[in-house]
Amino acid sequence: MGKKKKEIDFTNLTPEEEIKYEIARELGVFDRIVEQGWGCLSAQEAGRIGGIMTQRRRSAEAAKTKEDGEAAR
């Protein structure tokens, strides 16, 4: 039994999904994901996307914390 590929609605992506697809473009796997779905990625490729997402999230949180600290002064 094969899985049916879910159609991607690029007009209604969450901010997290937007980042995920942006990273996939940067890594050159976006076209494969659109054609075959996320399941076509190797564990290494998927892990790389997740790792970059985590780095960006932490950077954004650190910048917000720093900004909030400076605004409180």
Side-chain angles (χ1 to χ4, degrees):
M1 278 189 173
K3 289 186 177 181
K4 291 184 180 180
K5 188 173 83 72
K6 189 170 106 176
E7 196 66 32
I8 303 166
D9 181 7
F10 288 104
T11 60
N12 293 318
L13 295 177
T14 65
E16 189 170 281
E17 289 173 325
E18 288 177 9
I19 293 170
K20 187 163 55 169
Y21 283 107
E22 177 183 321
I23 294 167
R25 279 188 188 96
E26 293 170 7
L27 297 177
V29 296
F30 177 78
D31 291 335
R32 280 183 27 221
I33 292 167
V34 171
E35 291 172 10
Q36 302 172 25
W38 288 99
C40 73
L41 297 182
S42 68
Q44 184 177 16
E45 290 168 325
R48 182 75 179 130
I49 291 172
I52 294 170
M53 286 178 67
T54 299
Q55 286 176 338
R56 290 189 184 177
R57 187 178 308 117
R58 287 182 181 164
S59 294
E61 289 172 0
K64 184 177 181 340
T65 301
K66 182 179 178 184
E67 183 179 292
D68 290 346
E70 289 175 359
R73 290 183 185 181

